């Protein structure tokens, strides 16, 4: 087990629904990430939080809204999604965000398989 | 922006054959990481390479970082069915704080 948990593991939602994905890390890390993984694209970084502050937002549509209430928890709020948003959403954490020559390895959660109908 | 390309996209091998995946970055990297994702699973960290020309081994896996720190490779000797999965490289920018993942190479091993 990686120490990063995600709920729910599977989610089916209509385009008008509002739902939230939850991520929790039990590793004492200070940085957390949301990635989108689809069949056609590699791992796409969506958001990065360091010490509960958002440090990166890779031009993600506003229908995705992240929230990081503390360094152990990360949410992704979803509303009015499109069918092309169907994908595996992965949460990850790392010890720190900023590093020198070495980066910090990322620990991934099991992901939430999202289907938008 | 930084782009990381990985080839091949897919590779079928007979059990016992060798396998190599290659990773190329459009910019010089501060370091490179490799991850493995089993079917239905999530990416799991394998290794990080930092120094120019660095070579690291993990049992049957050999990782190399190019002299120019723009490319890397993962070589598996005598593949086994347990090696099945998608192997991703992830290149870190100069500050070492952002990872850009390659598209992955999906390895399938026939017993």
């Amino acid at each position: 087990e990686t120490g990063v948990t995600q709920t729910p593991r599977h989610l089916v939602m209509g385009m008008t629904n509002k739902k939230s994905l939850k991520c929790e890390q039990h590793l004492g890390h200070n940085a957390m990430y949301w990635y989108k993984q689809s069949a056609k694209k590699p791992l796409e970084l969506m958001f990065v939080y360091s010490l509960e502050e958002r440090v990166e937002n890779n031009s993600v549509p506003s229908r995705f809204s992240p929230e990081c209430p503390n360094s152990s928890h990360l949410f992704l709020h979803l509303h009015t999604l499109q069918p092309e948003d169907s994908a595996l959403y992965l949460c990850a954490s790392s010890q720190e965000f900023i590093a020198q020559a070495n980066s910090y390895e990322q620990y991934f959660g099991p992901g939430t398989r999202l289907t938008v109908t | 922006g930084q782009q990381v390309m990985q080839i091949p996209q897919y590779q079928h091998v007979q059990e016992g054959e060798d396998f190599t995946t290659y990773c190329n970055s459009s910019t010089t990297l501060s370091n490179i990481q490799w991850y493995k994702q089993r079917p239905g699973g999530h990416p799991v960290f394998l290794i990080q390479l930092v120094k120019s020309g660095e070579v690291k081994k993990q049992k049957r896996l050999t990782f190399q970082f190019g002299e120019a720190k723009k490319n890397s490779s993962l070589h598996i000797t005598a593949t086994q069915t347990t090696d099945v999965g998608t192997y991703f490289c992830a290149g870190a920018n100069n500050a070492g704080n952002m990872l850009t993942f390659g598209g992955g190479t999906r390895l399938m091993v026939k017993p």
Side-chain angles (χ1 to χ4, degrees), chain B residues 39-87:
Chain B
H42 54 273
V44 175
F45 175 82
L46 293 176
I47 208 160
Q48 178 177 247
L49 303 170
V50 179
K51 300 176 184 174
S52 169
E54 188 171 14
V55 178
K56 286 188 176 180
K57 292 191 175 185
Q58 287 181 351
K59 297 182 180 178
R60 294 177 294 104
L61 277 61
T62 302
F63 303 84
Q64 292 188 331
F65 201 11
E67 293 290 340
K69 301 184 73 172
K70 293 182 74 173
N71 57 71
S72 181
S73 65
L74 158 58
H75 179 81
I76 303 179
T77 304
T79 55
Q80 300 175 359
T81 54
T82 53
D83 295 325
V84 163
T86 301
Y87 293 85

Side-chain angles (χ1 to χ4, degrees), chain B residues 16-29:
Chain B
E17 291 180 340
D18 292 355
F19 159 78
T20 305
T21 172
Y22 300 91
C23 185
N24 291 287
S25 170
S26 58
T27 58
T28 302
L29 302 169

Side-chain angles (χ1 to χ4, degrees), chain A:
Chain A
E1 294 301 315
T2 62
V4 180
T5 57
Q6 287 186 246
T7 55
R9 296 293 306 275
H10 300 273
L11 178 63
V12 179
M13 60 185 289
M15 289 190 283
T16 58
N17 290 159
K18 288 185 181 181
K19 296 285 184 183
S20 295
L21 309 184
K22 179 183 175 183
C23 175
E24 184 174 359
Q25 57 97 0
H26 315 274
L27 301 167
H29 289 171
N30 289 323
M32 296 187 78
Y33 310 77
W34 277 118
Y35 287 89
K36 176 184 178 183
Q37 186 176 41
S38 59
K40 295 184 179 180
K41 291 190 176 181
L43 284 159
E44 298 177 76
L45 179 64
M46 300 175 73
F47 301 103
V48 181
Y49 276 83
S50 176
L51 295 171
E52 300 134 55
E53 257 190 61
R54 191 191 304 183
V55 295
E56 185 72 21
N57 175 356
N58 275 1
S59 302
V60 179
S62 59
R63 56 186 184 269
F64 295 92
S65 174
E67 179 190 1
C68 188
N70 54 64
S71 59
S72 298
H73 293 86
L74 187 63
F75 294 90
L76 187 62
H77 304 299
L78 316 171
H79 64 97
T80 59
L81 294 192
Q82 305 298 312
E84 60 263 29
D85 296 322
S86 298
L88 180 67
Y89 288 85
L90 290 159
C91 172
S93 71
S94 63
Q95 186 176 338
E96 301 289 347
F97 174 64
I98 300 293
Q100 298 299 319
N102 293 307
S103 299
Y104 290 100
E105 65 183 89
Q106 296 190 8
Y107 293 78
F108 285 83
T112 295
R113 175 70 62 185
L114 174 67
T115 303
V116 181
T117 60

